[in-house]
Amino acid sequence: MFNRRDFLNKTFLASLAAGVGLSACESKPKQDEANNNAPGVISPNGKKPEPIVIATWKHPDATQTALEVILNRGSALDGIEAGVRMVEADPRDQSVGYGGLPDRDGIVTLDACVMDDKGNAGSVTFLQHIMHPVSVARKVMEDTPHVMLSGEGAYRFAISKGFKKENLLTEAASTKWKEWLKEGTYKPVGGHEQHDTIGMLAIDGEGNLSGACSTSGMAFKIHGRVGDSPIIGAGLYVDNEVGAATATGLGELVMKTLGAFLIVEFMRQGKTPEAACREAALRIAEKYGKSNEEMQVGYIALSKSGEYGTYSLHPGFNYSVSRKDSHEVLDAPYLAGNSH
Ligand code: SD4
């Protein structure tokens, strides 16, 4: 498992080496050249892109896991769920699931959502005691007529679906919370120091797109605060005809600009994923930049044709990309300091 903790305290100049060069997954099936439905085979009309998985931050194990599921003929959503679950269960990631930093009352509350290629969506907000909110969100999508369940209701729904009640507050997270309590002033951390929220997008062997996002939200937030990550259109949006986008960073800025939806709409108008992410970052900078100079937001996007792009407000944002033969972590371009 990749150590993400080095990220939490890094400076922007810390070495975010492009392309960590992890070895390609061993278990990938051989391509069947005669079968155009085989994963990874581009169809004769050139329309079906190779499977690809991208994710916010340095999560190459998660994107690799997702890709392996897809190459073994899983759907994009199956792959994404498996990849995100890895991060949710990892106590070293202090922004997601088990081990996530608590709110200012010392309580871990989780937000997550999923969206599939048919435009279906599911979401949970302010969920406690359940390690895998991404899977609960998928159940909301598949087993209920609703899109979003929250708090106690989401928890009861999860229990009814067989999820286990667990303590998600680790020693390490509790220690950080107690440290914070000594001063106890609530100042949102803009995503420079506290991040690693996982947003993941994928295209499967059928050329279909899905996405998911999962987080414990901003550290030491006011109890009850919900961020962008479970909000369809803000933290995540998928349109199988066009593309998909997801966000990380200060959720309030993403919610107020409906970032992921905006990016997909820019792609619909013909912008590349990178140009679309840049426009959405610019929207934040222009509308809210003056009062939020320190705040970070990062976007990633994937088009229907398999092209991906990213953009962030500030340096320091990176993302993971897994394809058949490569697993990379790359730095995102950013606005700050660039003339825009
Ligand atoms: C939130 N967007 O709750 C999330 C936080 C985040 O990496 O992305 N942290 O606002």
Side-chain angles (χ1 to χ4, degrees):
M1 172 63 77
F2 221 89
N3 184 352
R4 281 180 284 281
R5 219 152 354 158
D6 56 337
F7 254 151
L8 293 174
N9 299 317
K10 70 172 176 45
T11 65
F12 296 140
L13 297 178
S15 59
L16 302 175
V20 294
L22 299 184
S23 62
C25 51
E26 311 258 271
S27 60
K28 63 180 188 289
K30 273 215 159 80
Q31 278 192 25
D32 174 2
E33 285 176 13
N35 176 5
N36 285 324
N37 288 323
V41 177
I42 297 176
S43 63
N45 61 14
K47 287 233 169 89
K48 203 189 285 181
E50 296 261 335
I52 180 170
V53 182
I54 66 173
T56 53
W57 302 114
K58 197 173 187 177
H59 292 298
D61 294 341
T63 52
Q64 181 167 352
T65 296
L67 188 76
E68 282 172 9
V69 170
I70 290 168
L71 292 178
N72 283 304
R73 295 171 192 273
S75 67
L77 189 62
D78 292 338
I80 286 170
E81 184 181 6
V84 170
R85 284 176 65 95
M86 272 185 80
V87 182
E88 289 176 338
D90 183 353
R92 293 171 302 177
D93 189 315
Q94 297 198 318
S95 299
V96 181
Y98 178 55
L101 292 172
D103 63 20
R104 66 184 188 182
D105 297 347
I107 300 166
V108 179
T109 73
L110 305 177
D111 296 336
C113 72
V114 300
M115 202 163 172
D116 73 8
D117 56 291
K118 296 177 190 66
N120 298 312
S123 161
V124 288
T125 76
F126 192 50
L127 176 65
Q128 296 174 40
H129 307 301
I130 303 290
M131 191 180 293
H132 292 298
V134 71
S135 296
V136 185
R138 185 170 181 175
K139 287 273 181 221
V140 173
M141 178 175 84
E142 291 177 346
D143 295 0
T144 81
H146 307 307
V147 168
M148 184 181 282
L149 293 181
S150 188
E152 177 67 16
Y155 169 74
R156 279 198 231 152
F157 172 76
I159 295 295
S160 79
K161 291 290 172 186
F163 290 84
K164 274 204 327 255
K165 177 175 185 177
E166 303 191 67
N167 173 26
L168 303 178
L169 185 65
T170 57
E171 272 304 309
S174 174
T175 302
K176 279 206 175 161
W177 171 61
K178 284 177 187 147
E179 255 322 291
W180 174 83
L181 269 185
K182 285 181 192 159
E183 229 181 88
T185 45
Y186 180 66
K187 232 172 49 187
V189 183
H192 289 325
E193 298 89 4
Q194 194 259 319
H195 50 62
D196 280 358
T197 284
I198 182 139
M200 190 182 277
L201 311 171
I203 294 180
D204 61 25
E206 296 302 314
N208 287 323
L209 278 159
S210 287
C213 194
S214 183
T215 188
S216 52
M218 303 312 290
F220 320 128
K221 60 197 174 187
I222 294 172
H223 187 64
R225 182 264 188 189
V226 169
D228 61 310
S229 304
I231 309 294
I232 301 298
L236 176 75
Y237 198 71
V238 177
D239 183 328
N240 201 43
E241 303 299 310
V242 177
T246 187
T248 182
L250 187 68
E252 280 71 7
L253 295 176
V254 177
M255 284 191 274
K256 286 189 281 196
T257 52
L258 218 49
F261 183 72
L262 189 60
I263 291 166
V264 172
E265 291 309 301
F266 281 135
M267 288 197 284
R268 195 189 307 278
Q269 291 164 14
K271 289 199 188 306
T272 64
E274 180 177 311
C277 289
R278 185 173 187 278
E279 284 297 324
L282 269 176
R283 182 71 59 88
I284 292 175
E286 284 162 6
K287 272 190 165 297
Y288 302 105
K290 286 209 170 60
S291 47
N292 292 278
E293 271 174 3
E294 296 302 310
M295 297 300 159
Q296 175 68 307
V297 168
Y299 287 122
I300 64 172
L302 182 60
S303 75
K304 178 73 178 166
S305 63
E307 189 187 355
Y308 61 85
T310 69
Y311 230 88
S312 59
L313 295 179
H314 296 281
F317 175 50
N318 54 16
Y319 61 103
S320 306
V321 184
S322 284
R323 279 171 293 196
K324 205 155 41 81
D325 300 316
S326 66
H327 305 282
E328 298 176 291
V329 176
L330 302 163
D331 292 341
Y334 54 91
L335 293 179
N338 294 343
S339 54
H340 43 265

